[in-house]
Amino acid sequence: MFCLTATSLSALGSTTTITDIQGSTWHSPLFGQTHSVMGVVTAKNGFWIVGEKSDDVRISNGLYIYANKAFEIVDAVAIGDSISVNGTVAEYRPFDNPNSLFLTELVNPTLPVVLSSGNPVTPVVLGRDRSPPTQSLSALDVGEDGFLAVPNNSSRIEEGNAALQPDKYGLDFWESLEGQLVTIPKPVALGFQLDGGFWVHGDWEVTGKNERGGLTLNFGPDGIPDGNPEAIRLGRPIAEGQKNPLPALGVQLTDITGVVTYTNGFYHVLPLEAPEVLSRPDPTVPPTTLTNEHGSLDDACTITFGDYNVENLTPTSGHRAKVAKHIVDYLKTPDILFLQEIQDDSGGKEDGVVTANLTLSNLVKEIVKQGGVTYSYASINPVDGKDGGEPGGNIRTAFLYRPEVLKLVKGVAGGSLDPVEVGGEPGHPKLNFNPVRIDPKNIAWNATRKPLVAHWETKSGAELFTVNLHLSSKKGSSTQGDARPPVNAPIENRTKQVESVAGFIKDLLTVDPDANIIVAGDFNEFVQTRSVYQPLSGLLVDIDDAAGVPEYERYSYIFDQNSQQLDHAFISRVLERRRAEFEHIHVNTWSPSLAARKPDHDPAVGRVRLC
């Protein structure tokens, strides 16, 4: 255990209250001092006590007594006991997680003195007695991008130790309840179980509520991103031998009573007992309605496309049949598919193999086996070990396409390091290679998948340019951590990567302002992180906007408290003018459990008109 170093200690044995210890700021004003404190035991794992309530909502009247392995101290008390205990006020943060917030606790306790037993404890009922804010996480997340602003990690909560503002900011709200016993009425699960716990919201005001029951990361009414601070993570039940149920998005549970604490980078409620499942959403996932029969002149101008991160697909992946079934039954075999995370023909072996013909041909065969069409495919092999992902896997993006609908415009395929160049006459852009990659020698793409570009032609003579993206993977800090705004690495790389793609789009549109363009894939970034997408502003349109997809239904991934969108499609304005359509197909985010979720991203289907 790591405790802040005190410069001086008060005299032993002074008397104080829990609210005096907690104070109205992030650190205890009595840190490092040794005091006797009185309270009623509310839960045991170590143990928590609660004292007299303060009129100041910033100040918690709950406290954790850390007894380490001193079982005789823990065994000396029972829930409902009113006790007096002496110990040292500490601020705890694990050595291995310097981004955690501190937890105020009493350490090195003496043997408690039981004053009385059987005392009732009334929990704080969230949504009735206290309700969390619904948009902002921290006062330090400044600017129009809020907790997604850049630069990241420009300030630290614990260094500032400001007065709490629990009516405005989510982290302040949960901090003001630290150590208290609370009840979450009518909890709804916001995702899957991980490490024994999961996120919920209760019967209180929320924002971003999607039809499934989750909370979608969104723009607040003031245009600042809303990170859904009203959600809280459930930890493992305190009751010995109990485990939480396996939840999924939208699962409804029995009321939960537990203590508020901070651990593993997040605020948690540790349930006294495991909740039970009351209901689960309908498991039926609607397939896309965006199909294309190619039986009329209008159909000859219409193209359907799908986008799917297939999660490290190899020639022998156990989830290949599932991916094929999704493509056939839910995406309805679109005319062209943007695929990400196609591994090479030897999978995760570091053996120098870079080709992916076996991986792709096995998928094509599986699609036929599932009752689908026979696709052709296009991709470019990366340089061994240079495109990130699982070591040895050489993941890349690839296109599957229906040759009876689309064909690659005649040209020579580019190599791993050949950059795209745009030529041609006004109104008729041409590529130097086809397919080809964007800017593969640019350091922005180091250890990352290079974008795959292709130029297509339909039987009616309509042309289309596609860019298949998989930007640098997200790595960062907790949204409820010390660093503000939270670390969103490598945001600088993703921004430069989008700039690189925007340069190619500008070149295309310079030659033909009405070029048909689709840029789609796994961007590993939210559109609410406006700084990353700024280079595309004025060039392309988010197809979700063009198609009028409701904001709260725009999600392709579940992480922490949020239903969120990492996978996007952008289109040229000429496609927007001809009425674009788009649907998110929630075959994975609606999975009944984390184990059943494979791949981990949702696919999507779009329909555009090229002429």
Side-chain angles (χ1 to χ4, degrees), residues 12-28:
L12 298 179
S14 60
T15 303
T16 190
T17 65
I18 293 174
T19 53
D20 289 335
I21 290 174
Q22 287 286 6
S24 60
T25 62
W26 293 89
H27 298 167
S28 169

Side-chain angles (χ1 to χ4, degrees), residues 123 125 127 230 310 321 358 361 367 469 510 516 562:
V125 179
E230 65 268 34
V310 293
L358 186 59
S361 61
I367 291 170
L469 292 186
T510 297
N516 295 315
N562 292 317

Side-chain angles (χ1 to χ4, degrees), residues 184-239:
I184 303 171
K186 299 181 180 179
V188 178
L190 301 178
F192 305 107
Q193 186 187 112
L194 185 65
D195 297 328
F198 55 95
W199 290 83
V200 300
H201 76 75
D203 189 18
W204 54 76
E205 182 184 355
V206 298
T207 55
K209 183 86 166 179
N210 58 52
E211 291 181 358
R212 191 67 170 180
L215 301 182
T216 303
L217 196 156
N218 64 93
F219 285 110
D222 56 2
I224 295 175
D226 179 348
N228 297 314
E230 65 268 34
I232 184 67
R233 196 174 194 278
L234 293 188
R236 298 175 188 270
I238 294 173

Side-chain angles (χ1 to χ4, degrees), residues 488-521:
N488 180 15
I491 190 170
E492 297 84 1
N493 289 28
R494 285 192 292 275
T495 303
K496 291 176 181 177
Q497 289 160 12
V498 173
E499 289 173 353
S500 174
V501 173
F504 166 67
I505 301 302
K506 285 180 183 177
D507 291 345
L508 266 183
L509 294 175
T510 297
V511 178
D512 182 6
D514 286 331
N516 295 315
I517 305 170
I518 302 174
V519 178

Side-chain angles (χ1 to χ4, degrees), residues 431-499:
L431 306 182
N432 56 333
F433 297 100
N434 192 31
V436 62
R437 306 172 99 191
I438 293 177
D439 220 3
K441 296 180 183 179
N442 187 329
I443 59 172
W445 298 106
N446 284 358
T448 305
R449 290 65 57 182
K450 285 66 174 174
L452 180 65
V453 177
H455 183 189
W456 308 92
E457 185 179 12
T458 69
K459 286 187 175 181
S460 66
E463 296 186 6
L464 171 68
F465 293 89
T466 57
V467 182
N468 193 341
L469 292 186
H470 188 184
L471 304 187
S472 293
S473 299
K474 269 186 176 294
K475 300 178 180 66
S477 63
S478 161
T479 56
Q480 295 188 350
D482 193 12
R484 310 312 305 177
V487 175
N488 180 15
I491 190 170
E492 297 84 1
N493 289 28
R494 285 192 292 275
T495 303
K496 291 176 181 177
Q497 289 160 12
V498 173
E499 289 173 353

